[in-house]
Amino acid sequence: MVGAGPEDRTLEGNASVTNWLTTHAYSPAEIFSFTTSDGVHIDANMVKPVPFDPNKRYPVIFDVYGRPGSQAGL
């Protein structure tokens, strides 16, 4: 581990996860923003399935991460 000091140590290896990830394809998140009809600016992101076909219809999952009384970051 680069920069490992006396307090740094590996709690658990993740080689099996790394190997699993290399065998799967992932689509990058597309970050965009829009303005609602009442003038509110919204930042959002979209992850499309792999492989994405623009002529096909896909189900949509909305994940609201700014719920009242909470904070979240991606």
Side-chain angles (χ1 to χ4, degrees):
M1 202 172 4
V2 176
E7 300 297 319
D8 294 336
R9 63 188 171 99
T10 301
L11 297 176
E12 184 175 343
N14 62 358
S16 62
V17 174
T18 301
N19 291 337
W20 186 87
L21 291 172
T22 61
T23 63
H24 293 77
Y26 296 91
S27 176
E30 298 177 25
I31 299 172
F32 63 97
S33 62
F34 61 94
T35 303
T36 64
S37 60
D38 57 346
V40 176
H41 178 82
I42 304 288
D43 292 318
N45 69 62
M46 175 174 32
V47 179
K48 296 177 183 174
V50 175
F52 177 72
D53 178 356
N55 298 312
K56 186 177 175 184
R57 296 182 74 159
Y58 296 93
V60 176
I61 298 173
F62 288 97
D63 181 23
V64 178
Y65 62 88
R67 294 167 186 88
S70 68
Q71 296 177 351
L74 299 175

